[in-house]
Amino acid sequence: IHPNVLTLIGVLINVVAACALGVNSFRVAGVIMIVANIFDFIDGKVAHITGKQSQFGAFWDSTLDRFSDLALFTGLIWLYSSLGREGYVLVATCALIFSIMTSYARARAESLIDKCKVGFMERPERIVLFMIGAFTDRMAGVLWVILTLAVVTVANRIHYTYLALNKLPMPSTDVKLLDDKDLEVGLGQPGEICVKGPQVMLGYWDDPTRTAEAVDEAGWMHTGDLATLDTAGYCNIVGRIKDMVI
């Protein structure tokens, strides 16, 4: 069976789960979502094993994932509107909006920068939360969690893209310029760029010698790039002090 067909089957099953949500059958919806996401998991595996990976397949999978999300949220909006729970209709609608904005912000950002996979609330987390809400009958509380984390994720991606486009340091990243005596240089003076942060490598795999050459005891990675720092806080590359293979 073609992996694109598996993707379509998973989406159709998720639509059935959405219908179950719409009639307040949460536990039934939870079971159906598990079945649907088995198909969502294996379609990529099947594509890899059979050699049927393609750009269209990736597009097809991503597009139908959005449809699945919309269907589940629509089922909840239908349920709460039929129960006269206007407040939860609003919460579900806002959660839907920001969940879609999470995907859109990343897609739009990656048309401008290399990667923008920051933030916590992506589709796998949403689906897990949907299942938790369905099996515990606490869907209203789960919607608040999805909404809050989706808002934070969208804001995070906007901020990350702003920093990347303006060539500013990423959050939690420290940068300093050091001379050959490991002392910080002044403005306009050339020094080696050293960086430290959660996204900086800890060292070379199984190579303590090269690790000791690149990363000092305090966790600063010595990049080998020479730069000067201007009054606006921008680094301007002026040379190299290490050999680099191109």
Side-chain angles (χ1 to χ4, degrees), residues 105 108-110 112-116 118 153-171 232 234:
R108 188 68 182 92
E110 290 183 353
L112 303 171
I113 61 177
D114 289 336
K115 288 289 182 182
C116 187
V118 296
T153 299
V154 171
N156 196 0
R157 290 182 174 181
I158 292 172
H159 183 231
Y160 182 92
T161 304
Y162 171 81
L163 294 176
L165 291 175
N166 288 278
K167 298 179 173 60
L168 296 172
M170 293 296 112
Y234 289 91

Side-chain angles (χ1 to χ4, degrees), residues 97-198:
I97 291 170
F98 278 96
S99 294
I100 297 302
M101 283 298 299
T102 297
S103 301
Y104 176 80
R106 177 184 172 186
R108 188 68 182 92
E110 290 183 353
S111 71
L112 303 171
I113 61 177
D114 289 336
K115 288 289 182 182
C116 187
K117 197 174 182 180
V118 296
F120 175 75
M121 185 49 62
E122 294 193 313
R123 186 169 189 270
E125 292 80 16
R126 282 198 300 272
I127 295 301
V128 170
L129 285 171
F130 266 122
M131 291 179 182
I132 292 173
F135 285 116
T136 62
D137 200 18
R138 293 292 185 272
M139 191 62 77
V142 164
L143 284 175
W144 276 108
V145 174
I146 292 175
L147 173 59
T148 302
L149 293 179
V151 170
V152 172
T153 299
V154 171
N156 196 0
R157 290 182 174 181
I158 292 172
H159 183 231
Y160 182 92
T161 304
Y162 171 81
L163 294 176
L165 291 175
N166 288 278
K167 298 179 173 60
L168 296 172
M170 293 296 112
S172 303
T173 302
D174 295 320
V175 179
K176 62 181 179 181
L177 304 183
L178 301 180
D179 61 18
D180 55 3
K181 297 180 181 178
D182 286 340
L183 298 175
E184 289 196 50
V185 301
L187 292 176
Q189 299 297 314
E192 182 183 13
I193 298 177
C194 298
V195 294
K196 182 179 181 181

